[in-house]
Amino acid sequence: LIGFHPRIVVNRLEAKQSAETDRGIMSSTDKAAFLKVFDTLKDELIADFDTLPGLSDDLKQQLKEYYTFCLEKTVPGGKMTRGLTVVKGVEVLKQRPLTEEEFFDAAVLGWQVEWLQAFFLVADDIMDSSITRRGEPCWYKRPNVTQDNGINDALLLENLIYKSLRRHFKKHPSYVHLLELFIDTTFQTEVGQHIDTNGTPYADGKRAPLDLSRFTLDRYQGCVRYKTCYYSFYLSCALALAYCGVDPETSPDLYTKADAVCMRLGEYFQIQDDVLDAFAPPEVLGKIGTDIEDAKCSWLVCKALEMVTPEQRQVLVDNYGKWDEEGVKKVKALYKELDLEKVFNDYEDEQKEACDALIASIEPESFQELFKFLLGKIYKRQK
């Protein structure tokens, strides 16, 4: 235990003792045990500020207080599906209850996916000028944070992923593969974010005039694949495979199958998100949707453009992409006039059947359980 902060040792023991108290606790269904691992990781990372040379104790204390608050407000708080999927994946691949060490390791990896999500969301909220997230002000909207700190904090959140991976997996045989998965997924997601942000491009420091011809389902599907599918679905599955020693060079089939299912699940998930952004009450969704104001290439506008009359199209030309409350109401009224919620409901039923069929084709059959778990988490979700 030499070199470990005393509180970290206590937290790590508490997390592991909680896991080993009962075999049933050591599973992807126990959020309390999973959250205890977050506390351990948080304390380890905050203690790292004490090791920084050349800083006064007062300045170190300021950093620790600020970033304790930052981590507690930006990392947990969601449904934690991405993180818990790693634990579920290891369970499925091992085909038995996890040992104390396996649960802890899988949970650590799961929390790195949640950390990646936090990094993306803090940055995305700034880019989209969002107001709320998970029922609270966006991180950069907090009076003691502001946009300047928010940008730096997003960068720090990303860095902390690699500090935790190094701390816990440097001697693991799959360490390099784990690192590569995070590096590749971050790149893929940032490509998707660029496509999303530039649905309407910028010129001379401001958005160019709205060009509805750019809003096509082809563009939308490319954006979703890179912005959502890889980090929200594939990464968790691939981390479980990597941790369990499945080599993508010698055993590529499981990764290929995971990719195929995750691309379909991710597209379905993002289309749900677009519909919820427009129609779900903010108090249920936990945020105020701004896709219309931000001129996003969303599924709703792409489908609308396939269905509109010239007169209806003019409603979009006049109102889409403008921060005007009455204009937003007109766009939403058009979506209702086109009955896009029913179009989505029909799509959702079709996707459920297609996902079930794709999952049923996976071998080995035991691996299907992971994707049934994921589909069950998102089917007919309301937020």
Side-chain angles (χ1 to χ4, degrees), residues 4-13 40 43-45 47:
F4 281 88
H5 192 280
R7 180 60 196 153
I8 293 170
V9 173
V10 171
N11 271 2
R12 182 174 293 171
L13 290 172
T40 298
D43 286 351
E44 288 174 345
L45 293 163

Side-chain angles (χ1 to χ4, degrees), residues 124-169:
D124 187 64
D125 285 343
I126 296 170
M127 288 183 264
D128 289 349
S129 301
S130 297
I131 299 164
T132 58
R133 171 71 65 181
R134 295 169 177 167
E136 295 191 35
C138 294
W139 176 247
Y140 82 101
K141 283 288 188 181
R142 293 178 181 275
N144 65 319
V145 179
T146 75
Q147 181 171 300
D148 292 348
N149 275 315
I151 293 169
N152 188 61
D153 295 341
L155 297 172
L156 186 131
L157 285 167
E158 182 192 20
N159 175 265
L160 297 184
I161 296 167
Y162 299 99
K163 288 179 72 66
S164 288
L165 287 173
R166 182 176 61 191
R167 192 187 324 267
H168 291 281
F169 293 99

Side-chain angles (χ1 to χ4, degrees), residues 32-220:
F34 187 66
L35 281 165
K36 280 186 175 293
V37 178
F38 166 76
D39 289 334
T40 298
L41 295 170
K42 178 194 69 178
D43 286 351
E44 288 174 345
L45 293 163
I46 295 303
D48 286 342
F49 288 111
D50 283 324
T51 69
L52 297 176
L55 297 181
S56 69
D57 289 343
D58 285 347
L59 187 49
K60 289 177 181 177
Q61 187 61 30
Q62 289 174 27
L63 287 165
K64 290 192 292 185
E65 289 175 2
Y66 179 89
Y67 281 108
T68 296
F69 183 63
C70 174
L71 298 186
E72 291 172 347
K73 288 297 182 181
T74 61
V75 182
K79 296 180 286 293
M80 301 184 292
T81 300
R82 294 169 182 82
L84 290 167
T85 298
V86 182
V87 183
K88 180 67 175 181
V90 175
E91 288 174 352
V92 167
L93 291 163
K94 296 286 186 183
Q95 297 187 56
R96 57 167 173 74
L98 301 184
T99 66
E100 171 194 342
E101 182 178 2
E102 288 166 347
F103 176 85
F104 186 79
D105 284 352
V108 170
L109 287 173
W111 276 113
Q112 302 323 299
V113 184
E114 296 293 331
W115 242 275
L116 187 67
Q117 159 87 336
F119 157 50
F120 289 147
L121 293 185
V122 169
D124 187 64
D125 285 343
I126 296 170
M127 288 183 264
D128 289 349
S129 301
S130 297
I131 299 164
T132 58
R133 171 71 65 181
R134 295 169 177 167
E136 295 191 35
C138 294
W139 176 247
Y140 82 101
K141 283 288 188 181
R142 293 178 181 275
N144 65 319
V145 179
T146 75
Q147 181 171 300
D148 292 348
N149 275 315
I151 293 169
N152 188 61
D153 295 341
L155 297 172
L156 186 131
L157 285 167
E158 182 192 20
N159 175 265
L160 297 184
I161 296 167
Y162 299 99
K163 288 179 72 66
S164 288
L165 287 173
R166 182 176 61 191
R167 192 187 324 267
H168 291 281
F169 293 99
K170 190 173 183 179
K171 295 182 179 179
H172 192 279
S174 297
Y175 178 55
V176 172
H177 186 199
L178 295 172
L179 289 176
E180 288 176 341
L181 283 169
F182 278 97
I183 292 167
D184 291 345
T185 303
T186 303
F187 173 72
Q188 290 159 339
T189 308
E190 288 167 352
V191 168
Q193 181 68 23
H194 177 85
I195 297 170
D196 183 49
T197 302
N198 290 276
T200 298
Y202 287 86
D204 299 323
K206 59 183 179 181
R207 285 203 181 276
L210 185 70
D211 180 3
L212 293 176
S213 69
R214 293 172 67 89
F215 296 156
T216 66
L217 284 175
D218 281 347
R219 182 185 181 90
Y220 178 79

Side-chain angles (χ1 to χ4, degrees), residues 344-355:
F344 168 72
N345 289 334
D346 292 343
Y347 162 86
E348 187 169 40
D349 291 338
E350 292 170 4
Q351 281 298 98
K352 174 65 163 58
E353 290 183 13
C355 288

